[in-house]
Amino acid sequence: MKFIVQPPPFTRRQRSTTGIMYELSALLGLLWIAAIVYNFTIAPSYGLKAILMVVVAVVTTLICDVLVGAISYRDKEKPFGRYLFTRIKENYSLVTALIFALSLPIGTPYYVIIIGSLFATLIVKYAFGGFGANIFNPAVFGRIFVTFAFGSQLRAFIGTVPGNIASLTDVGATVTTSFSSLGVKWISDSLAGLNVTMGQLWLGNYSGAIGETFTGLILLLGLYMIVRRICNWRPIVAYLLTVTLTALVVALIAGLNPGTYILLHLAMGGLMYGAVFMITDPVTSPTSMFGKILIGVIAGFMTVLIRIQGGYPEGVTFAIAIANLVSPLIDRFATGMTNNNNLKKWSVILSVLLLSLALNGGLAYYNTQVQNPEPEESQLVLEVTNDLLAEELKTDYVVEVIK
Amino acid sequence: MINVFKSFTQIRLEDHKSQAAEADVLAIDENKITSIFIPVVSPNGAGIDFFVKEGDQVSVGTLIGRRKDFYVPIYSSVSGIVKGRVSRYNPLVGRTTEHIEIANDFKKTRAKLLKTISFDSDAKEIIAAIKEAGIVGLGGAGFPAYFKYENSSNIDTVIINGVECEPYLSTDYKLLQYHALDVIKGGELLRLAAQADQAIIVLKKNKTALVEVLKKHLEDFPHMVIRLVQDIYPMGWERALVKRILNRTYNDFPKEAHVIVNNVATAMATAQALLDGEPLTHRTITISGNAITQAVNIRAPIGTPISQIVEEVGGYTTDEVIAFTGGPMTSRPVSDDSYVLQASMNGYTAVKPVSYHSVPCLRCGACNAACPAGIQPIEIKLALDSNNTDRLMKLNVNRCVECGICSYVCPSFIEVADAVIRAKIRVRLQNAKSEIAKKGAVK
């Protein structure tokens, strides 16, 4: 008779981290399939590229896993193969690779994907101690890294622009970039000049980052993840709610159609992708439920702020990076009991939300009313010396010819 | 009100009770028990004064000793001859301690019964009688029952806790089934002792059969009501019960909320001691678990070795087991089954070994959201692992009730509960240190 001694409890919920992570990978796989199918409808080379982009990212992270595993192999008792297998299995690099690759546009060169994956895995993840110890989301920071380092290479087409791509106004630009460069930055409720409809923005059948465009599908996957408890609902809901409320205020101040404007904010720039797959990453979130709500609000605030005032059109990755940054601080702040001080917690959340509404609303007012007032009836004044030319120029627009 | 800062889902455990709960309660064959053993230290480590010496003849119910810290008399559970001291394993204090051995002479001679009282007695008399009967909390705590009544005032409600929310255990259920009237009488006595307006028997919602049994007797006891609670864990915890039943909260002890909580087994023992004069010498224990041949409730004299009880019900099914005293959520495992049955032990569970392979924490916060005490188990574990005692002191470690939910919900199978328990020891040590430092400064 042998009595084994181990700490209680002796019954556990059958929900494992490994299960959660591989279910998440399967959901990202669905998104990948959607991307492949859509890209094959453009051209076979596009479809193939969509497949290979993800494969390249996954293989690169796997090589990183093997490399780091080989370096950190100490316990000679355990066979190396077995050690490596557990290491790869429990570092969930697959998820990082998928999230990173699916956030890149179709025209991204393979070397950029490789460098981005190397950065995400080796620097952002393993340099901090691997899964569970990284303070920044590897996929988000990989994406930010390639945005900075290879910004001009992240194109929404391969080679020359094919005729059947729906949405290019500007060669090399994604829909979001084009949208934000029209008129006053991100203060517009019109898709005119973009060649995409609202329906396309939500369905995803337009050219952009291969996985990010399928807003509707991502929303469904997010709902599934919440129901299956793969991710916490708090950051998603807080993030989307903050963006919605802030966009509503901005729309009202700038005199735009609130409904359209909110839908544009939610559908563009990979916001839904960030909300479902990036901000929910538990490793880089606070452990308290209060903190999980707060980072959602902070990220929503920052997203709209960067969009209407910052230098980058999407804003989502940067906003999430900022949320990652403040997470340890929030954990400090939330030390103590989780079931009291609710008033204090709510007031912190609401103040950040109000700050978002006030600052973004104020900026919208400043950008539209003060800096770029509504252009009055346009008047073209030309100074010409030649009478004949002056006669010729007398069109509807030229009111008066000054000699 | 819904609190978004806490988990919405309530933990419903697989209860594994059915086999033992459906079987009849057995009584151990006392003719097979050659000796019983009474540990010379009480569960909290306090010593016991013994009034008998080697060679003394004792009967069932003979006063053999009394605890040094609280007034808790200890009565012999068999008749026979005191043999002297032997060393045995005692899981309640976590080490080997000396035990007084009493050799059974199988004559079952009875000592004089205790002085009985009636429902007309006043509170003081009842408390004195509870004290004299040596009644301790039979739900697992083993805390002297009289103490709560002697040191409380303005009590308006006595809660008789029959929730038994831990898996595997079914002693309370069987007691209510067999001795419903005793439980009700005991509850009435406890209510009178506390001078409370009402006594509430709390049961789980799915125990509807018991409600019928109890209702038959309740007509004669107008101050007693039955309340049902959901089948969630840890519903049987005092704080959860007081919140759920009366919507009251308190800081340290239920008496702050004018409530006293006692187990149904304690109520029954009170009735049997005070009305029938039988001191606490026997108790019912659930022998259960998937490594036990036959899960059953069995009544045995206090002091019987557990190994003998297990043998009586058919032994183990495997060679390797994890065994523990009580339920699987809170109990620490025992290193063997040679220890003896003590008053506070409500179950002996042996399960087939399962090992949990842990992966790094993914900071999902499930433990924080689920913790019924409202503390942050993973933050406590991180602070403990990094030896950050300062942070540990801010994390309300002492509010932990060791319910085990944090480890239960952890998807990474991290031993969070174990870490919190170790953190409690660390904090206690730190408090003691600063106390000493303060005293030194005064000198």
Side-chain angles (χ1 to χ4, degrees), chain A residues 306-322:
Chain A
I306 293 169
R307 282 182 171 183
I308 67 172
Q309 192 63 23
Y312 281 83
E314 283 101 350
V316 176
T317 46
F318 297 106
I320 292 169
I322 291 166

Side-chain angles (χ1 to χ4, degrees), chain B residues 316-361:
Chain B
Y316 300 97
T317 56
T318 52
D319 285 339
E320 281 193 353
V321 295
I322 300 174
F324 37 91
T325 295
M329 292 299 281
T330 57
S331 315
R332 305 239 116 200
V334 294
S335 59
D336 62 60
D337 60 359
S338 67
Y339 66 94
V340 297
L341 178 65
Q342 296 182 39
S344 62
M345 293 175 178
N346 51 1
Y348 175 78
T349 314
V351 294
K352 289 173 185 155
V354 255
S355 62
Y356 299 103
H357 173 66
S358 68
V359 297
C361 170

Side-chain angles (χ1 to χ4, degrees), chain A residues 135-206:
Chain A
I135 48 174
F136 298 117
N137 185 323
V140 171
F141 273 67
R143 183 69 176 81
I144 291 176
F145 176 72
V146 297
T147 309
F148 281 138
F150 307 101
S152 61
Q153 319 263 35
L154 305 179
R155 284 175 295 203
F157 60 91
I158 306 170
T160 53
V161 191
N164 56 350
I165 282 195
S167 63
L168 293 175
T169 48
D170 193 0
V171 170
T174 59
V175 172
T176 317
T177 320
S178 313
F179 176 74
S180 89
S181 62
L182 288 174
V184 183
K185 195 171 175 329
W186 267 99
I187 307 280
S188 161
D189 58 0
S190 150
L191 286 167
L194 287 183
N195 245 343
V196 280
T197 59
M198 186 59 91
Q200 276 183 311
L201 279 180
W202 282 82
L203 276 178
N205 52 345
Y206 67 98

